[in-house]
Amino acid sequence: MQAPEVRRAVAAAMSIAASLDLAVDDAVVLNNSNKLALRLLPCDVLARVAPVAEQNAQFEIEVAQRLAEAGSPVAALDPRVEPGVYERDGFTVTLWTYYEPVTAQEHAPADYAEALERLHAGMRGIDVPTPHFFDRVEEAQQLVADRGRTPDLIDADRELLGDTLRNLRRAIGERGSEQVLHGEPHPGNVLATKHGLLFIDFETCCRGPVEFDLAHAPDALAEHYRGVDLDLLRECRILMLAMVTMWRWDRGDQLPNGRRLAAEWLGQIRAALG
């Protein structure tokens, strides 16, 4: 979010919290991307704020509640208020438990893998309508075909990305078993707390093979996650890299250094494909 939008989002979150009888006179921005994460003080609540038109918060709450009931390693909603999506001034706000970080170090691969296995086990037991991860592949393929949205992508790179998306989508679809997935269980969506590692941000839940989730995590996890298909994981990693590379070429992309990253990732894709 840009600065003016951040100010409005913070004001909306503080106003909603106060209306729910939570003590709030300050807000600390913890993360600012498509969604704003705020620590509200002194009530110590984590508020997640998004523009109304760019959110799927009710789905996220439903998934998080079901996983919590199943004992999965997930961050909890704040118990002091009724679970729900609150709206004000064009923003939606959800209120979560704030967990004080216990370490600034990287998550140990064995612990990370064990937590992800537990999350996947819980997800196999919930029945929620989720998109297939192929929907994301389709979004990237549409960008390949739309030169108006990707005018700076040269033909050779466009062909490489288009072929990679098409071929790996077909190959993975022919061989992978499927279940509900987190969708993006990268380190930024894992909290190290006194309760152990907890996952956040379930808006990206989808269906697919567990190797698609593992493709978003550090490489070392594959050594500790039981039963992983290493060939399928390799294909999922390349496919995921092709998708995020394609998104960086969207003329509306606002990721800092996005084009530099896209150039690096193109090199990695070429190397991985030989």
Side-chain angles (χ1 to χ4, degrees), residues 3-21:
E5 193 175 26
V6 169
R7 287 193 291 270
R8 289 177 46 236
V10 169
M14 294 179 68
S15 176
I16 287 171
S19 72
L20 296 170
D21 296 325

Side-chain angles (χ1 to χ4, degrees), residues 140-166 246 249 266 270:
Q141 289 178 303
Q142 290 176 3
L143 279 176
V144 171
D146 192 341
R147 293 177 180 272
R149 290 180 59 189
T150 57
D152 298 329
L153 183 62
I154 64 173
D155 288 346
D157 293 342
R158 189 182 302 275
E159 182 178 2
L160 171 66
L161 290 168
D163 289 347
T164 301
L165 292 166
R166 181 177 59 257
M246 197 61 235
W249 288 102
L266 277 166
R270 287 194 174 89

Side-chain angles (χ1 to χ4, degrees), residues 65-81:
Q65 286 181 301
R66 294 193 184 187
L67 289 171
E69 291 169 359
S72 299
V74 299
L77 291 154
D78 190 281
R80 292 169 289 181
V81 299

Side-chain angles (χ1 to χ4, degrees), residues 11 27 103 120 140 152 193 204 241 245 259:
T103 177
H120 285 157
D152 298 329
T193 77
T204 55
L241 194 58
T245 300
R259 292 297 171 83

Side-chain angles (χ1 to χ4, degrees), residues 231-245:
D231 290 334
L232 180 56
L233 175 57
R234 173 184 174 275
E235 292 174 345
C236 285
R237 282 175 174 158
I238 299 172
L239 179 62
M240 183 270 292
L241 194 58
M243 286 191 294
V244 297
T245 300

